[in-house]
Amino acid sequence: MLPTQLGRHFWPEWSLVNGVRIDYLAPTIYVADILTVILTVIFFFNKNQKSKIKNQNYISKIKNIKQLIFVLLLIIFFYANQSLLSFLKTLKIIEIIIFVWLVKSYIRKNKKNFSHLITVLSLSMLFQSLLAIAQFINHGSLNGIFYFFGERNFTGTTPGIANATINGELILRPYGTFPHPNVLAAYLLICILIILNSKFPARPAGGEARNSKQIPMIKIKNTKLIFNIIIKQFNNLAIMVSSFALFLTLSRVTIVLWVGVMVLMLIRRERSRPFPCPASGGTMGGSRAAPTIIAVIILGVVACIIIFLFPRFSSLFSEDKESWQSRLSQSRVAIAMWRDHPWRGVGLNQYLPNLPKYQKVSSWKEYQPVHNTWLLILAEMGLFGFLLVSFLFLKFLIFNFVFLNKFQIIICILILSLFDHYFYTLQQGNLMIGLILGLL
């Protein structure tokens, strides 16, 4: 349910800005919020969990709880009392912290839970990708039962809808069940990275771990091994379909990151392959092998896609020039807000209500947060909140620096956050950050 935006919106007077309804300010109860509460209650009242906690080190548990309470008290003290909107955003931050803790506890409880999580992510990716492909072909939403998954009703002519021009033809960018194609693309990229960097242990009947590719399918008698192979192939299918759907979103930054990640993985794979020894017919480890057929095919596909999408990227200097100018103007507004409120910021969820004071707003389309997560945090939370969040990500960067796979995920999130705000402002973005931090 992480990708869905199905929920109940409320529209009190304080969620309007100059009479305009702002989705980012509307108090909303999502299905994922209800599930998070249920999971938290189950975790605390689970008998098995209670018995395990009794056998663990009380000192480390108390220390973790104290750290969590300290962070929550800091957030509440500095931001919750600024306004009702700030209080609601504080509750959302607390929910995400709890979600991080739930993910971490779930993964550490049992090693099998991680493989279960990967399978569920693959199912979610496949569903979102197939829905996005269908929307692209249909030139609009499918409606019907997909409404209950969070799909909104839209066509290529819906006001404010995300379209793109390729070779003079107007193309509708698919949404899936997300509020914007860029968010869908980010979700697919993050899930692809998680699955690519996950490992499924495969053990044959003999008891010793071996490479599943070296075992003929006829001799496999271990049901668990067969199941793991099937799941791995299903994950590969989800990655391929999701990669295709990711390109249909025409999200430029995400596509560049996807290409970069794939090229790096191919380079690492080729360097780790053994080099054939001409004398003995064996192999010599540690040398770089010639490019494989798969690598050539993937690079060829990437080259064709880049050629096809060249007009989309070249439009940055023509049709989308006004969009970049608008983003630069938003950045100036965010910096101006921070200068006026350097320590605590204008307040959580207060960027849009304060926007008319710093910029003349002539259309409802201009009521958008600054498309830079870090500038938005700086404007709303001030220097204190900016340093707190920066310290959190710096801690994860340093901790995962030696693990290249994990490091790639953090770097992709940091780059995406420089060009958009959904990790901070949207329900799905909040949960994506919570999932990543919980896994790390």
Side-chain angles (χ1 to χ4, degrees):
M1 299 300 293
L2 186 152
T4 66
Q5 54 181 337
L6 181 63
R8 178 74 171 96
H9 289 70
F10 301 91
W11 301 100
E13 288 295 328
W14 41 265
S15 67
L16 309 180
V17 178
N18 293 338
V20 179
R21 284 185 171 186
I22 308 295
D23 285 352
Y24 302 105
L25 305 180
T28 308
I29 300 177
Y30 293 96
V31 175
D33 297 332
I34 299 174
L35 292 176
T36 302
V37 173
I38 294 175
L39 283 173
T40 306
V41 173
I42 291 175
F43 180 83
F44 275 108
F45 288 94
N46 188 291
K47 294 181 179 180
N48 295 330
Q49 187 66 27
K50 285 183 178 181
S51 62
K52 287 188 176 183
I53 291 177
K54 290 180 180 179
N55 298 326
Q56 292 177 352
N57 190 341
Y58 278 104
I59 298 178
S60 61
K61 286 292 178 183
I62 294 174
K63 183 179 178 181
N64 291 335
I65 293 174
K66 283 184 176 180
Q67 291 177 351
L68 181 62
I69 293 176
F70 177 72
V71 173
L72 294 180
L73 288 177
L74 278 178
I75 294 173
I76 294 172
F77 175 75
F78 276 91
Y79 303 109
N81 60 349
Q82 290 178 306
S83 68
L84 190 54
L85 280 171
S86 299
F87 176 74
L88 292 175
K89 186 65 176 181
T90 304
L91 291 180
K92 179 59 65 175
I93 294 175
I94 294 173
E95 178 190 355
I96 299 307
I97 293 176
I98 294 174
F99 183 65
V100 172
W101 181 50
L102 286 173
V103 173
K104 175 184 176 182
S105 302
Y106 178 76
I107 297 301
R108 295 186 65 179
K109 184 179 179 181
N110 192 333
K111 292 182 179 180
K112 294 181 180 179
N113 289 347
F114 180 69
S115 61
H116 296 164
L117 177 62
I118 295 300
T119 304
V120 173
L121 281 178
S122 298
L123 288 169
S124 176
M125 290 167 56
L126 199 57
F127 173 78
Q128 292 294 328
S129 301
L130 293 176
L131 179 60
I133 294 171
Q135 290 173 350
F136 182 83
I137 297 173
N138 191 49
H139 303 289
S141 57
L142 302 185
N143 304 321
I145 192 175
F146 296 103
Y147 168 82
F148 297 98
F149 290 95
E151 184 196 44
R152 292 180 178 177
N153 185 15
F154 62 89
T155 62
T157 58
T158 301
I161 204 67
N163 289 313
T165 303
I166 302 293
N167 296 326
E169 183 179 354
L170 195 64
I171 297 177
L172 173 69
R173 300 171 61 191
Y175 280 64
T177 63
F178 289 86
H180 197 276
N182 290 344
V183 192
L184 169 63
Y187 176 73
L188 294 178
L189 176 65
I190 290 173
C191 290
I192 288 173
L193 287 173
I194 294 175
I195 295 176
L196 283 176
N197 297 316
S198 63
K199 296 181 180 180
F200 287 84
R203 293 183 178 274
E208 296 183 357
R210 287 183 286 172
N211 190 344
S212 59
K213 294 181 180 180
Q214 299 175 354
I215 306 173
M217 289 298 295
I218 301 176
K219 296 182 179 180
I220 295 178
K221 297 181 180 180
N222 193 321
T223 307
K224 183 178 179 181
L225 176 60
I226 298 176
F227 178 76
N228 286 338
I229 293 175
I230 294 174
I231 291 296
K232 187 173 183 178
Q233 297 306 318
F234 174 75
N235 294 338
N236 292 334
L237 173 65
I239 291 173
M240 289 187 291
V241 177
S242 297
S243 298
F244 179 72
L246 188 150
F247 278 95
L248 292 182
T249 64
L250 300 177
S251 178
R252 286 172 286 220
V253 177
T254 314
I255 290 173
V256 170
L257 290 175
W258 183 93
V259 172
V261 167
M262 290 301 166
V263 171
L264 285 176
M265 293 193 68
L266 285 175
I267 293 174
R268 288 176 55 206
R269 179 181 177 183
E270 293 305 318
R271 285 182 175 179
S272 63
R273 287 174 60 85
F275 187 79
C277 181
S280 60
T283 59
M284 295 174 57
S287 300
R288 187 182 302 178
T292 61
I293 297 178
I294 297 177
V296 173
I297 292 175
I298 292 178
L299 291 176
V301 171
V302 169
C304 294
I305 292 173
I306 292 175
I307 294 173
F308 172 75
L309 293 179
F310 178 77
R312 170 67 175 163
F313 287 87
S314 62
S315 64
L316 283 170
F317 308 98
S318 55
E319 293 92 342
D320 294 342
K321 189 176 180 180
E322 294 183 2
S323 175
W324 280 106
Q325 292 175 349
S326 174
R327 295 194 176 198
L328 289 175
S329 177
Q330 291 175 353
S331 300
R332 296 190 191 100
V333 170
I335 294 174
M337 287 186 185
W338 169 66
R339 286 177 178 174
D340 293 341
H341 306 83
W343 297 110
R344 295 177 62 184
V346 294
L348 295 175
N349 266 346
Q350 292 297 315
Y351 178 88
L352 291 177
N354 284 275
L355 183 61
K357 300 178 184 178
Y358 293 86
Q359 176 180 304
K360 184 179 179 181
V361 182
S362 57
S363 171
W364 60 271
K365 295 180 181 179
E366 297 180 12
Y367 283 106
Q368 288 283 335
V370 57
H371 282 65
N372 186 308
T373 303
W374 299 99
L375 286 180
L376 185 58
I377 292 174
L378 188 64
E380 289 197 349
M381 302 179 69
L383 188 60
F384 171 79
F386 180 83
L387 292 177
L388 184 66
V389 177
S390 300
F391 172 77
L392 175 66
F393 274 89
L394 185 63
K395 179 180 178 181
F396 277 96
L397 274 174
I398 295 174
F399 180 75
N400 295 300
F401 184 79
V402 294
F403 303 103
L404 183 60
N405 298 341
K406 297 180 180 181
F407 191 66
Q408 290 176 355
I409 299 177
I410 293 290
I411 289 297
C412 286
I413 291 177
L414 289 176
I415 294 176
L416 289 172
S417 64
L418 293 175
F419 295 92
D420 223 315
H421 54 78
Y422 45 77
F423 286 127
Y424 178 75
T425 57
L426 298 181
Q427 168 78 1
Q428 295 94 334
N430 294 160
L431 292 177
M432 276 191 273
I433 290 294
L435 176 65
I436 290 297
L437 295 183
L439 289 175
L440 292 179

